[in-house]
Amino acid sequence: MALEVFHKDETLQMRRKLIGQSCRLFFSHDPVKIMRARGQYLYDENGMQYLDCISNVQHVGHCHPSITQAAAAQMDLLYSNTRFLHDNIVLYANRLAATLPKKLCVFYFVNSGSEANDLALRLARQYTRHQDVIVLDYAYHGHLTSLIDISPYKFRKLEGQKEWVHVAPLPDTYHGIYREDHLDPGQAYADTVKSLIEEAHKKGRKISSFFAESLPSVGGQIIFPTGYCKRVAESVHEAGGVYVADEIQTGFGRVGSHFWAFQLQGEDFCPDIVTMGKPMGNGHPIACVATTEEIADAFTANGVEYFNTFGGNPVSCAIGLALLDVIEKEDLRGNAVRVGGHLKQLLLQLQIKHPLVGDVRGVGLFIGMEIVKDRVSRKPATEEAAHLVRRLKEERIVISTDGPWDSVIKFKPPMCFSIEDAERVSTCIDQILGVAKGAVPSIGMMLRPKPLPALVSDMRSLPSETANS
Amino acid sequence: MALEVFHKDETLQMRRKLIGQSCRLFFSHDPVKIMRARGQYLYDENGMQYLDCISNVQHVGHCHPSITQAAAAQMDLLYSNTRFLHDNIVLYANRLAATLPKKLCVFYFVNSGSEANDLALRLARQYTRHQDVIVLDYAYHGHLTSLIDISPYKFRKLEGQKEWVHVAPLPDTYHGIYREDHLDPGQAYADTVKSLIEEAHKKGRKISSFFAESLPSVGGQIIFPTGYCKRVAESVHEAGGVYVADEIQTGFGRVGSHFWAFQLQGEDFCPDIVTMGKPMGNGHPIACVATTEEIADAFTANGVEYFNTFGGNPVSCAIGLALLDVIEKEDLRGNAVRVGGHLKQLLLQLQIKHPLVGDVRGVGLFIGMEIVKDRVSRKPATEEAAHLVRRLKEERIVISTDGPWDSVIKFKPPMCFSIEDAERVSTCIDQILGVAKGAVPSIGMMLRPKPLPALVSDMRSLPSETANS
C-alpha cells in the first residue's frame, strides 16, 4: 500500500465513478491525494508536505507508533465481540471513568460519534419516557436518520423540522441575539431554552433531552458564555429531561485545561449523558456513551439486549488505552494550552492588523477566526474565507471553514501541533491578508499573490494541477 | 495485553459495574473469558480451547496474520478520512463491484451494519420520495433508532409498530403459513407482500422499500423458497419502492456457491441496494452500502454532503482488501461448500436418529438445526435447545440459538471451519441427544451426562465455575 497504485487523475476518476458523490472531497476542484502522514504533517503522492490544521480525529498525531503497536499486538491476540468477558473493555471504561465526574460511571462502546448520539437519544427517551429534544441552532450531531432530525444544520436542507424537535438560539456572543456587551449572556441564552420548554409544554409536549456540543463546532467554533450550561441543565431537569453533552469533537483534552470541554463550565455543572467519538481511537472507529447508573438502569429495565457487533472489542479498547497513555506521556494537554494559547495570541495580533478578521475565539487547540466584510455589520465574508483556505492550501497548509456562513477559519489540529506550526500558519495568513492591506479587501485584490518565498522550502515540486488552479 | 490483568471474577465484577447491563454476555450465568483466538479456536484464561461455531464476524478465522499485517502496515502510513483522495477506497470498491451484478456499482463506506442499513433507508426514501417500509416478521436490522423501527424482533418488545412499517410473514416453510408441501411457496409468500402493499395503498401510504436479510438469521436461519425474491422485487418496484438486500450476516461467500446469498435466488434477481457489514473486516469495524447509479444520483441531488468520519478510511479498506485476498487464496468459499455440505449431512443423520431434531436447513456455512418438542406439532423446544447449548459449552464448543423461539441451533463459524470440526460438533450433539434416546427427551433426562471421553483431550483443566454450573 506504500506505493501509489493509480495516477492521481485515475484515482479521482475511479472515485467519481465508484463512490457516492455525496461523499465530498476537500478542495473539490483540486483535491489532495495523501499517501502518508506523521504527527501534524501530511504527504502527497509527490512527497510534498502539508501542515494539517484540522484533523482532530488523528488526535495524538497521524500514525502514532504507540497506537499502531497496541493495535497490531491486540489484533494478533483477539478481535472478538463483547459477549465474551475481556479485561480491555473494563480497563478502558475504568480509565475513562477517572476523567469524568463520579456520577458518569456507566459506559457503552460503539463505533462512531453518530452511533453514540443515537444511543444517547435512546437512553434519554427510555429514562425520561419523553420524546422531544431541544437542540441548538446550526447544530450537527451525526449522519443517521435520527440525528439529522436533531441537526438543524442538516434538516433545514432536507426534510425539515420534526414536531418533536425544538431549536434554541446558538449562544453566539459575536453574531447572536445577546452579544459580548450583554451583562450576563449565559443567563440570557439559558432563558431562551427555558422559554422554549414553556412553549413546548403549552403544546402538551414533553422534553426528553437537551443535546449540545460542549463547544459548538459546525456552528462556528463557539465558546459558551459562563453559566450557560448549568442554567440550561436546571431548566431541562425541571422539565424531566436530561442534558446530553456531545463531546465528539471537543473531548480528550483538546481544550487543554480540562479533559472535557463541558468542564470549562465549572465543577457545579455535570451532564447526564456524555457522547465521545472522533479523537478516541486516533482514526480507528471507536466511540462511547457515558451516563449515570439511573439512566443505564432504566435502559436495562426494558429487558431488551443492546448488542453492538464491533463496539468495545479488545482491539478498539487497546487503541483507546494507548491513546490515553500518549496524551499523558507527551503532555498533550499541556501542549494544547501552550500552543493553542500562542496561536490565539498570534491570531489576535492579526485581528488588530487586518480588518477582515472580525473575531478570534477558542480555547486550547480549538480555535476559530471569523472573517467578516466589516467589523461594524459583522457581515460574514464567506468568499474571502474560502479564498484564504485556497491560498493556504497553495502554501501547503490544510485548513477549512465552519459556521452558518462558512466564514470561520477553524483550527483543530492534531494535539502535537507545535509553536513553529502556529507561527507558520499565522505568518502565512498575515501575508495573504496583507496583500490587500489598508483597504477592506476584495476578492480581486486577493487573487494570485506571488508565492511566499519563506514558505516554499518544503515544496519539492508543484503538481501541475495546483499550478493550474 | 497478552496476560490476564484481572482474575475472571474481578473482570466480571468490574464489567457489571462499568458497562451497561443491556450489553449481555454469552452464557450469562457462567460467562467465558477469552484471552486469544486463532482460526476457529478460542482460548480462555486457563488456555482451554473452545471450538467456535458462531463467530461469523471473524470470517477468515480469528486473528488471521494477513489481516493483522495489512492493518499494521497501513496504520503506519495513513489513517485519515475520505475527504482526501486515496487509492485504497477505489481499489476496494472496484473489488467489491466485481462480486456484484453490474448495476450495483456505487459504494458508500460506513462503520457498522447498522450504519449501512440506516443509510440504505435514507437512500431508498430519497430516491423514491416514499416513507414506508416492508419488513419480514422477526427481522432484525440493527440497533439504531431508525432500525429498531423496522425490526419486529426489537420493536415488539419496545415502542411497538410505527404506522409506516408493514410486516410481511417470514417465508419459513417449516413453521410458516405455507410449508414444504406447498406447490409454490415462493409465489405464495411473495403474494403476501403484494397484498400488504395493496393494503398500504388503500390507506394512502407509499412504499419506499422492502428490507430483508437474504437469509433471515435472527428469524431462524431461514432459506427463502425459490422465486420469492424476484417476485417480491416485482411487486415492490411496481409500487415505486426498492428492494434492499441485507447481506450483513450472509455475504462474502458464507453460502459457498455464491459470493452473496441473494445470488441463490438466480441471475434474474438483483436487489437495488445491498448492505454489508459483519464479516467485511474480520472483526474490524467496516461496513458498506452498494447501490445503483440512479439511487446514488438521487441522493447526491439533495445537495447535502454525506460525511462518515471513519467510513472508508485507508486502514479499513486495506483490511477489506486483505480479507478478499484470503477468501480467494485459501478457497474459503470452496471450504464452505465442502465443510458446510458435510456438516449438513451429519446433522441430517442426527435428524433421522433423534426425534428432538425437527429440521435441518442451510447452505454453505450458514446452517440451522431446529429443536422441537415433537415432529408433528413442530412445537419449538426452547428449553431443550438452551440445554444443548449449555452442554456443548461444557464440551468446549461455543454455539448459540436463534429464531422466534430460540429453538434453532445456529452454525455460522469462521469460514476455515474444518471437516474434523464438523464431525466433532456433530458427534457431541449425537451423544448429548443420545442420553435421552428412544423417547421424546425431557430436560430431566438430558441433565448432567458424564463427560464424553473422546472429547476431553484438549481440556487441560476444568475451571471451577464450569464444574459448578
Side-chain angles (χ1 to χ4, degrees):
Chain A
M1 294 297 153
L3 298 173
E4 199 181 11
V5 181
F6 304 114
H7 184 273
K8 183 178 170 179
D9 292 343
E10 199 178 348
T11 309
L12 185 56
Q13 204 180 344
M14 287 179 73
R15 173 146 168 162
R16 285 193 178 133
K17 193 172 139 257
L18 287 161
I19 307 299
Q21 287 304 294
S22 305
C23 306
R24 295 191 190 153
L25 288 161
F26 281 131
F27 317 116
S28 55
H29 295 294
D30 179 33
V32 184
K33 183 169 183 179
I34 298 299
M35 300 294 291
R36 60 192 178 91
R38 209 78 175 182
Q40 63 275 46
Y41 303 110
L42 305 165
Y43 300 88
D44 73 9
E45 76 281 14
N46 300 310
M48 190 79 72
Q49 187 196 75
Y50 289 79
L51 174 62
D52 185 348
C53 299
I54 51 173
S55 290
N56 56 340
V57 169
Q58 287 69 31
H59 193 59
V60 299
H62 288 273
C63 302
H64 196 293
S66 300
I67 310 286
T68 305
Q69 281 157 23
Q74 185 59 52
M75 279 188 83
D76 194 46
L77 282 175
L78 186 70
Y79 208 158
S80 63
N81 69 45
T82 59
R83 281 172 172 158
F84 297 109
L85 267 184
H86 198 274
D87 288 334
N88 284 9
I89 191 171
V90 300
L91 278 166
Y92 190 35
N94 208 37
R95 282 283 291 279
L96 291 174
T99 68
L100 287 161
K102 267 192 182 171
K103 80 169 198 177
L104 295 165
C105 60
V106 183
F107 298 83
Y108 299 85
F109 291 100
V110 298
N111 308 299
S112 68
S114 287
E115 284 194 358
N117 277 339
D118 183 87
L119 178 57
L121 192 60
R122 291 188 61 197
L123 289 167
R125 286 175 165 171
Q126 184 76 43
Y127 175 68
T128 64
R129 304 276 178 165
H130 297 173
Q131 282 297 304
D132 288 21
V133 179
I134 301 172
V135 292
L136 294 180
D137 209 354
Y138 308 112
Y140 175 60
H141 293 293
H143 56 72
L144 299 168
T145 305
S146 61
L147 303 177
I148 288 168
D149 282 344
I150 64 167
S151 298
Y153 167 71
K154 289 280 178 190
F155 73 61
R156 291 242 165 82
K157 302 173 196 166
L158 292 166
E159 77 273 27
Q161 188 168 345
K162 293 272 162 54
E163 76 285 358
W164 52 268
V165 176
H166 311 277
V167 180
L170 185 64
D172 172 356
T173 53
Y174 186 68
H175 281 294
I177 46 175
Y178 308 111
R179 299 194 172 179
E180 67 286 347
D181 56 353
H182 191 283
L183 281 180
D184 190 355
Q187 180 73 59
Y189 279 111
D191 285 344
T192 66
V193 176
K194 201 176 178 176
S195 307
L196 206 59
I197 293 172
E198 284 162 8
E199 280 172 49
H201 283 175
K202 276 181 202 157
K203 293 180 203 155
R205 307 211 59 97
K206 291 176 178 176
I207 306 301
S208 73
S209 48
F210 173 85
F211 261 77
E213 282 188 279
S214 296
L215 301 171
S217 308
V218 168
Q221 308 285 98
I222 304 298
I223 312 294
F224 285 147
T226 311
Y228 176 71
C229 295
K230 187 185 166 226
R231 285 159 188 161
V232 167
E234 282 165 6
S235 302
V236 171
H237 288 156
E238 211 170 290
V242 299
Y243 190 113
V244 182
D246 177 338
E247 291 269 353
I248 291 163
Q249 299 230 35
T250 56
F252 291 84
R254 176 152 297 279
V255 301
S257 59
H258 298 81
F259 199 86
W260 302 103
F262 75 79
Q263 292 168 326
L264 293 167
Q265 289 274 312
E267 287 192 7
D268 53 353
F269 166 66
C270 179
D272 305 292
I273 298 177
V274 171
T275 58
M276 41 191 102
K278 291 184 188 288
M280 263 183 110
N282 218 45
H284 182 83
I286 178 167
C288 181
V289 181
T291 190
T292 65
E293 271 182 21
E294 293 70 29
I295 293 174
D297 286 349
F299 196 59
T300 307
N302 71 24
V304 175
E305 180 179 10
Y306 176 80
F307 177 57
N308 190 303
T309 300
F310 307 123
N313 70 70
V315 175
S316 294
C317 292
I319 288 173
L321 282 161
L323 182 117
L324 294 178
D325 287 341
V326 175
I327 292 175
E328 283 175 23
K329 276 185 200 155
E330 301 186 2
D331 185 27
L332 293 178
R333 281 177 54 195
N335 194 64
V337 171
R338 288 185 295 275
V339 176
H342 186 62
L343 176 59
K344 197 172 158 186
Q345 281 310 311
L346 293 170
L347 299 177
L348 285 166
Q349 286 166 25
L350 296 186
Q351 188 186 18
I352 295 166
K353 225 169 142 186
H354 302 287
L356 265 179
V357 180
D359 192 34
V360 173
R361 53 185 177 257
V363 53
L365 281 168
F366 182 94
I367 294 174
M369 179 178 78
E370 179 130 17
I371 308 297
V372 292
K373 293 280 187 188
D374 74 89
R375 291 186 184 172
V376 180
S377 71
R378 299 187 177 182
K379 195 182 165 194
T382 305
E383 251 318 302
E384 288 81 349
H387 178 77
L388 182 55
V389 167
R390 282 194 298 272
R391 280 287 295 114
L392 284 167
K393 183 198 162 205
E394 287 172 18
E395 305 304 335
R396 311 291 168 225
I397 293 173
V398 174
I399 205 161
S400 66
T401 57
D402 241 330
W405 308 279
D406 279 318
S407 56
V408 181
I409 307 288
K410 67 174 164 189
F411 297 84
K412 41 179 194 172
M415 296 273 283
C416 51
F417 208 72
S418 71
I419 292 285
E420 294 72 29
D421 299 324
E423 289 180 347
R424 176 176 162 196
V425 66
S426 149
T427 305
C428 255
I429 294 172
D430 187 24
Q431 295 187 302
I432 294 168
L433 297 183
V435 170
K437 203 181 168 179
V440 177
S442 73
I443 291 294
M445 291 179 73
M446 287 170 69
L447 282 170
R448 300 212 158 274
K450 282 180 192 166
L452 309 175
L455 299 161
V456 293
S457 58
D458 61 346
M459 297 180 204
R460 284 191 250 160
S461 70
L462 269 168
S464 61
E465 61 268 36
T466 302
N468 294 333
S469 74
Chain B
M1 292 298 153
L3 298 173
E4 200 181 10
V5 181
F6 304 113
H7 185 273
K8 183 177 171 179
D9 292 344
E10 200 179 346
T11 308
L12 186 57
Q13 206 180 343
M14 287 178 75
R15 170 143 171 165
R16 287 194 176 130
K17 194 172 138 259
L18 287 161
I19 307 298
Q21 287 303 294
S22 305
C23 306
R24 294 191 191 153
L25 288 161
F26 280 132
F27 317 115
S28 55
H29 295 293
D30 180 33
V32 184
K33 183 170 183 180
I34 298 300
M35 300 294 291
R36 59 190 179 92
R38 208 78 176 183
Q40 63 274 46
Y41 303 110
L42 306 163
Y43 300 88
D44 73 8
E45 76 281 15
N46 300 309
M48 190 80 72
Q49 187 196 74
Y50 289 79
L51 173 62
D52 185 348
C53 299
I54 51 172
S55 289
N56 57 340
V57 169
Q58 286 70 29
H59 192 59
V60 300
H62 288 273
C63 302
H64 195 293
S66 300
I67 310 286
T68 305
Q69 281 158 21
Q74 186 59 53
M75 280 187 82
D76 195 47
L77 282 174
L78 186 69
Y79 208 158
S80 64
N81 70 45
T82 59
R83 281 172 173 159
F84 298 110
L85 266 185
H86 198 273
D87 288 333
N88 285 9
I89 190 171
V90 299
L91 278 166
Y92 190 36
N94 208 37
R95 282 283 291 277
L96 291 174
T99 68
L100 286 161
K102 267 193 181 168
K103 81 168 200 180
L104 296 165
C105 59
V106 184
F107 298 83
Y108 299 86
F109 291 100
V110 298
N111 308 299
S112 68
S114 286
E115 285 194 357
N117 277 338
D118 184 86
L119 179 56
L121 191 61
R122 290 188 61 198
L123 290 167
R125 285 175 165 170
Q126 185 75 44
Y127 175 67
T128 64
R129 304 277 179 165
H130 297 174
Q131 282 300 302
D132 289 21
V133 180
I134 301 172
V135 292
L136 293 180
D137 209 354
Y138 308 112
Y140 176 60
H141 293 292
H143 55 72
L144 299 167
T145 304
S146 61
L147 304 177
I148 288 169
D149 282 345
I150 63 166
S151 298
Y153 167 72
K154 288 282 177 188
F155 73 60
R156 293 241 164 82
K157 302 172 195 165
L158 291 165
E159 78 272 26
Q161 188 168 343
K162 294 274 162 53
E163 74 288 356
W164 53 268
V165 177
H166 311 277
V167 181
L170 185 63
D172 172 356
T173 52
Y174 186 69
H175 281 296
I177 46 174
Y178 308 111
R179 297 194 174 180
E180 68 285 349
D181 56 354
H182 191 283
L183 281 179
D184 190 355
Q187 180 72 60
Y189 278 111
D191 285 344
T192 65
V193 175
K194 200 175 179 178
S195 306
L196 206 59
I197 292 173
E198 284 162 8
E199 279 172 50
H201 283 175
K202 277 182 202 156
K203 290 180 205 155
R205 308 210 61 95
K206 291 176 178 175
I207 306 300
S208 74
S209 49
F210 173 84
F211 261 77
E213 281 187 280
S214 296
L215 301 171
S217 309
V218 168
Q221 307 286 99
I222 303 298
I223 312 295
F224 284 147
T226 311
Y228 176 73
C229 295
K230 188 186 164 225
R231 286 160 189 162
V232 167
E234 283 164 5
S235 302
V236 171
H237 289 156
E238 210 169 290
V242 299
Y243 190 113
V244 182
D246 176 338
E247 290 270 352
I248 292 163
Q249 298 230 35
T250 58
F252 292 83
R254 175 154 297 280
V255 302
S257 58
H258 299 80
F259 199 86
W260 304 103
F262 75 78
Q263 292 168 327
L264 293 168
Q265 290 274 311
E267 287 192 6
D268 53 352
F269 167 65
C270 180
D272 305 293
I273 298 176
V274 170
T275 58
M276 40 191 105
K278 290 185 189 283
M280 264 183 110
N282 219 44
H284 182 83
I286 177 167
C288 181
V289 180
T291 191
T292 66
E293 271 182 20
E294 293 70 29
I295 294 173
D297 285 350
F299 195 60
T300 306
N302 71 22
V304 175
E305 180 180 11
Y306 177 79
F307 178 58
N308 190 303
T309 300
F310 307 123
N313 70 69
V315 176
S316 294
C317 292
I319 288 173
L321 282 162
L323 182 116
L324 294 178
D325 287 341
V326 175
I327 293 175
E328 283 175 24
K329 276 185 200 155
E330 300 186 3
D331 185 28
L332 293 178
R333 279 176 55 196
N335 194 63
V337 171
R338 288 184 295 275
V339 175
H342 187 63
L343 176 59
K344 197 172 159 187
Q345 280 309 312
L346 293 170
L347 299 176
L348 284 167
Q349 285 165 26
L350 296 185
Q351 188 186 17
I352 295 167
K353 223 169 142 186
H354 301 289
L356 265 179
V357 180
D359 191 34
V360 174
R361 53 185 177 256
V363 52
L365 281 168
F366 182 94
I367 295 174
M369 180 178 76
E370 179 130 17
I371 308 297
V372 293
K373 292 280 188 189
D374 73 89
R375 292 186 184 172
V376 180
S377 72
R378 300 185 177 184
K379 195 181 165 194
T382 306
E383 252 317 302
E384 288 81 350
H387 178 76
L388 182 56
V389 166
R390 283 195 298 273
R391 280 287 296 114
L392 283 167
K393 182 199 164 204
E394 287 173 19
E395 305 303 335
R396 310 293 168 223
I397 294 174
V398 173
I399 205 161
S400 67
T401 57
D402 241 330
W405 308 279
D406 279 317
S407 56
V408 181
I409 306 291
K410 66 174 164 189
F411 296 85
K412 41 179 193 173
M415 296 272 284
C416 51
F417 208 71
S418 71
I419 293 284
E420 294 70 31
D421 298 324
E423 289 180 347
R424 177 177 161 196
V425 66
S426 148
T427 305
C428 254
I429 294 171
D430 187 26
Q431 295 187 303
I432 294 168
L433 297 183
V435 170
K437 202 181 170 180
V440 177
S442 72
I443 292 295
M445 292 178 73
M446 287 170 69
L447 283 170
R448 301 213 157 276
K450 283 179 191 167
L452 308 176
L455 298 161
V456 294
S457 58
D458 60 345
M459 297 180 203
R460 282 189 252 160
S461 70
L462 271 168
S464 60
E465 62 268 35
T466 301
N468 292 335
S469 74

